[in-house]
Amino acid sequence: QAVQLNLRRDDSDQFGARTTGVLAYGYGFAPGWRATGSVGTAFKAPTFNDLYYPGFSNPELKPETARNAELALRYASDAFAAGIVAYRNRVRDLIVFECDADFNCAPQNVAAATLQGATLDMHWHRGATAVTASVDLQRPQDDASGLLLPRRARRHAAFAVDHSLGPVRLRAELSASSARFDDAANTRRMAGYAL
């Protein structure tokens, strides 16, 4: 069993002082198996560029605040590890980057947003070879409209293989994302991609 408590104090001349924290608990219930849960709060001030970059900024931005909850189940052995994490984040004044139809772009606040989903990941290695993979299934939603947040996809995946040949390391990677929308109204669809 393990308990973790984190406290953080941010003091900004522009946005004031905020205290945030996380409380987490973990329990190993069988060899290699561990369940964890956490709740917490967060604070994120806009960056200097968010506020003042010429042509792509918004000096009226508010800082983000959030409440987060997470549950996870993990397994690990000498050669293999895997896990699933379910999360739900409620964010006030989420900072998103939006462009209009004429490509005039600037960061904006979303009054209330919910980011919830699950991430599955695995890692395997044997000798000089290692394989990692992850899949993230989520719903990043504007609470007022029920629509997807701009430029945030519902599905992401990544896969990589590493192999060492003496001092040389070879690596192949694949990352992919499903379609997103370029606007808050979800009218300008951006196709999914793979790299």
Side-chain angles (χ1 to χ4, degrees), residues 50-120:
D50 288 338
L51 294 166
Y52 306 116
Y53 191 86
F56 290 92
S57 61
N58 179 357
E60 302 302 318
L61 284 176
K62 301 174 187 175
E64 295 179 8
T65 57
R67 295 183 182 275
N68 314 311
E70 185 176 285
L71 292 172
L73 179 64
R74 299 205 62 80
Y75 172 78
S77 66
D78 289 341
F80 179 77
I84 182 170
V85 178
Y87 57 88
R88 181 177 172 87
N89 303 330
R90 301 292 305 272
V91 187
R92 300 289 176 197
D93 297 313
L94 176 71
I95 299 170
V96 299
F97 195 74
E98 289 189 51
C99 299
D100 63 20
D102 297 320
F103 206 68
N104 297 307
C105 304
Q108 306 291 335
N109 286 117
V110 174
T114 301
L115 305 141
Q116 62 184 354
T119 301
L120 295 87

Side-chain angles (χ1 to χ4, degrees), residues 117-138:
T119 301
L120 295 87
D121 66 87
M122 62 79 63
H123 174 83
W124 172 87
H125 70 271
R126 183 173 182 176
T129 303
V131 177
T132 58
S134 66
V135 175
D136 190 30
L137 307 172
Q138 64 172 328

Side-chain angles (χ1 to χ4, degrees), residues 11-23:
D11 193 354
S12 164
D13 291 341
Q14 190 166 4
F15 299 108
R18 305 287 177 96
T19 300
T20 56
V22 175
L23 175 62

